[in-house]
Amino acid sequence: MSGLSTFWIGLQQMFSDPTIFLLVAGGVFFGIVFGSIPGLTGALAISLILPFTYKITASYGLSVLIGIYVGSISGGLISAILLNIPGTPASLVTCFDGWPMSKKSPGKALVIGTFSSLIGGIVGGMAMILISGPLAKFALKFGYWEYFAMGLMGLFVVVALVGKDKLKGFIAATIGLIIGLVGTDSVSTVTRYTFGSWQLNGGFDILPVLMGLFALCEILVSIPQLKVKATVKKVDKVPLLPKREWMKGTWRTMLTSSLIGTYVGILPGVGQTTASLLAYTQAKQSSKNPDKFGTGCEEGLVASEAANNAVCGGALIPMMAVGIPGDVITSILLGALVLHGLQPGALLFNSKPEVVGVIFASFIIANIIMYLMQLGLMRAFVQMLRVPMRLLYPIILCMCMVGAMTTNNRVFDAVVLIGFGIVGYFLTQNDYPLPPMVLGFVLAQIIEKNFRTAMIASDGNILDIFTRPIALVLLAIGVGMAVIPPIRKAIKNRKSAKLAAEGAPVQDDDEPQDKAQ
């Protein structure tokens, strides 16, 4: 069944069952609220709602989570434009041109940013519909070695691309792997790292771990800013469509940035911020007026918002096709699939086409609802920026605790949530990136189970992997992503040292020649 046929099945379900449509709309609204308020992220929103989707059908649960995903990523532009504070990390680059533009015309900046979010989301969604099915069929050729190599490649890629300190990224990923291996061995009945506690025999449940790392950790990090009061610009009127002269000369940038965002989304663990930076840099380098970037340039705003929203569709592709999340939020969505008893891959597309169709349709419809809702209710969302965080955080914390305990009906999960919140806080305070840790935790079982099974099938001969070309290619890609950047940097440093010794001027190519202010 083609992706378009599956998408059509999903549309039929949405319009035959209005509940799905309402859940998507409610998810979008909830996501925009969390995305627009600095300190409340999409990962936090989905972690908060995930426990409440456990008792409903997979189609209902995933539709509301997809709506939150789309709404939260786009909602971050509101505070980025009006406060110069990104509502979510995805909107960091939006501040470069959104804030200067809002000084002249807040309505213009908001409508251009939201329209770019819509186009980027649609492009990413169409790529998801067209690519994820064929990729899942290709994954049918995967054996144990291939899935093992795919898991390692995902870790290598995220360590290579997240953060400047690769060692800290590697340490964070290793911590995630160790945490993921706690409990009963996936191949035998041996328990590991339980320290005699029967509560750990089943390992750490993904839900309290994610809620601790993203919800509680975010609250702890934001405590020093609780007394800071934001001054919000007054927004009189926001048009439903941007004027033609505003968008003149931006269409190529919008399409290119959407494609960049989709491609970056497919790479495991990279995320929206990197996509926005890449798209912004590309747009500036190819622009006829690069000096305007950072001063309220339409192209700069378009590049950032089109790219970070296109990442969403791209990140769902590997999650659905092979079970490798493309970003942090899709790591949580992968946990949602598991909670509902669904296995990503070709089996999901063949046995549950209605669920896949709902995901496809929900994503496209969510982007349209996001556009209409965000512009139509912009004044209300702007007013939410004035809500003190000291009132929101206690409510969020209570919801997290209740959600963690009710999933498995045990208090131990609340303790796990608190523990991982504290661990996440100390890691972030010492500049250890959380995405490698989360991906390591999610991929630990995939890597270990497939490696152990492959070794058993090959009678303990690890050289058997050299008879599997797909696995070797995946490993080569991962190792190349991890090894090549440090080698290039070492060569560059040697050349710089040589030039400095000869008295020649040295330019650091890693730093942009003129940074956007």
Side-chain angles (χ1 to χ4, degrees):
M1 185 179 294
S2 68
L4 290 175
S5 300
T6 307
F7 171 61
W8 179 245
I9 291 175
L11 278 180
Q12 289 178 322
Q13 285 192 83
M14 287 194 71
F15 288 103
S16 62
D17 187 354
T19 304
I20 299 178
F21 189 87
L22 293 174
L23 286 171
V24 173
V28 170
F29 179 82
F30 193 73
I32 294 175
V33 170
F34 268 67
S36 63
I37 300 176
L40 305 183
T41 63
L44 170 58
I46 292 181
S47 300
L48 205 59
I49 296 300
L50 181 57
F52 301 100
T53 68
Y54 183 64
K55 296 297 183 180
I56 58 179
T57 65
S59 296
Y60 285 178
L62 291 169
S63 62
V64 70
L65 296 178
I66 292 293
I68 295 173
Y69 188 17
V70 172
S72 63
I73 298 301
S74 181
L77 69 86
I78 299 175
S79 57
I81 289 172
L82 299 179
L83 300 176
N84 200 26
I85 303 172
T88 62
S91 300
L92 173 65
V93 183
T94 302
C95 296
F96 294 173
D97 285 283
W99 169 251
M101 189 185 296
S102 71
K103 295 178 181 178
K104 304 172 185 177
S105 177
K108 174 184 175 182
L110 290 168
V111 72
I112 290 177
T114 305
F115 184 76
S116 303
S117 298
L118 171 66
I119 300 301
I122 295 296
V123 171
M126 292 309 299
M128 172 185 65
I129 292 169
L130 297 175
I131 296 175
S132 53
L135 182 60
K137 289 182 180 179
F138 176 72
L140 288 174
K141 299 180 181 180
F142 283 23
Y144 299 121
W145 285 122
E146 284 76 13
Y147 277 108
F148 164 71
M150 175 69 79
L152 280 185
M153 186 194 76
L155 281 183
F156 282 135
V157 170
V158 73
V159 170
L161 296 179
V162 175
K164 295 181 180 180
D165 194 330
K166 309 302 182 201
L167 178 60
K168 288 186 175 180
F170 176 77
I171 292 173
T174 304
I175 293 173
L177 281 172
I178 294 173
I179 293 170
L181 296 178
V182 171
T184 305
D185 182 3
S186 57
V187 178
S188 66
T189 57
V190 178
T191 57
R192 298 86 48 89
Y193 312 128
T194 61
F195 301 99
S197 172
W198 65 270
Q199 297 273 21
L200 291 175
N201 287 346
F204 290 109
D205 191 80
I206 189 171
L207 188 59
V209 171
L210 294 176
M211 293 178 74
L213 290 175
F214 292 110
L216 182 56
C217 177
E218 189 67 40
I219 292 173
L220 294 175
V221 170
S222 301
I223 285 176
Q225 286 80 41
L226 289 182
K227 294 183 179 180
V228 177
K229 293 183 179 180
T231 303
V232 185
K233 284 187 176 69
K234 184 179 180 181
V235 180
D236 294 326
K237 186 177 181 181
V238 181
L240 282 178
L241 285 173
K243 295 180 181 179
R244 184 175 299 178
E245 57 266 27
W246 294 349
M247 306 304 296
K248 187 177 180 180
T250 65
W251 293 103
R252 189 179 74 170
T253 298
M254 188 176 295
L255 178 59
T256 304
S257 300
S258 298
L259 294 176
I260 290 173
T262 303
Y263 170 72
V264 171
I266 295 173
L267 299 176
V270 182
Q272 286 82 6
T273 305
T274 302
S276 295
L277 286 168
L278 290 175
Y280 188 87
T281 302
Q282 192 279 333
K284 185 174 181 180
Q285 291 175 347
S286 62
S287 175
K288 296 179 180 179
N289 302 297
D291 294 337
K292 290 185 177 180
F293 280 69
T295 63
C297 177
E298 290 85 355
E299 282 186 271
L301 180 56
V302 164
S304 172
E305 283 303 313
N308 64 28
N309 284 269
V311 169
C312 301
L316 286 167
I317 294 173
M319 186 208 80
M320 296 175 61
V322 293
I324 305 293
D327 65 1
V328 173
I329 295 183
T330 47
S331 300
I332 306 174
L333 292 176
L334 180 61
L337 285 175
V338 174
L339 281 176
H340 286 282
L342 301 175
Q343 179 65 41
L347 185 62
L348 176 64
F349 284 79
N350 292 332
S351 62
K352 297 288 184 180
E354 68 281 359
V355 175
V356 177
V358 166
I359 294 174
F360 287 169
S362 296
F363 187 85
I364 298 297
I365 297 298
N367 277 277
I368 298 172
I369 294 174
M370 173 275 298
Y371 180 79
L372 298 174
M373 185 179 289
Q374 191 158 289
L375 293 180
L377 301 177
M378 184 59 73
R379 292 187 183 181
F381 292 128
V382 170
Q383 292 300 319
M384 289 180 185
L385 297 179
R386 297 186 169 91
V387 178
M389 300 306 297
R390 64 179 182 275
L391 299 180
L392 288 177
Y393 279 156
I395 298 173
I396 292 171
L397 184 58
C398 289
M399 293 179 68
C400 288
M401 298 293 286
V402 171
M405 288 188 291
T406 54
T407 302
N408 296 311
N409 294 319
R410 60 178 186 174
V411 179
F412 178 74
D413 285 333
V415 178
V416 171
L417 185 150
I418 295 172
F420 276 96
I422 296 172
V423 169
Y425 173 75
F426 282 107
L427 288 175
T428 53
Q429 292 300 103
N430 290 281
D431 298 324
Y432 285 87
L434 289 184
M437 179 180 173
V438 174
L439 203 62
F441 174 74
V442 172
L443 296 179
Q445 290 295 320
I446 296 175
I447 294 173
E448 185 207 23
K449 182 178 180 179
N450 286 286
F451 176 74
R452 294 280 305 280
T453 309
M455 289 293 288
I456 293 172
S458 60
D459 293 327
N461 182 18
I462 195 171
L463 297 179
D464 185 55
I465 193 173
F466 290 99
T467 65
R468 312 302 291 260
I470 296 178
L472 291 177
V473 169
L474 293 173
L475 281 177
I477 293 173
V479 172
M481 291 288 292
V483 172
I484 292 176
I487 293 176
R488 289 179 60 187
K489 186 175 181 180
I491 295 173
K492 191 180 298 181
N493 289 339
R494 288 184 62 183
K495 289 182 179 180
S496 299
K498 185 177 180 181
L499 290 172
E502 295 173 355
V506 179
Q507 178 179 328
D508 189 356
D509 295 334
D510 290 335
E511 295 294 328
Q513 295 184 22
D514 49 345
K515 296 175 77 173
Q517 299 296 326

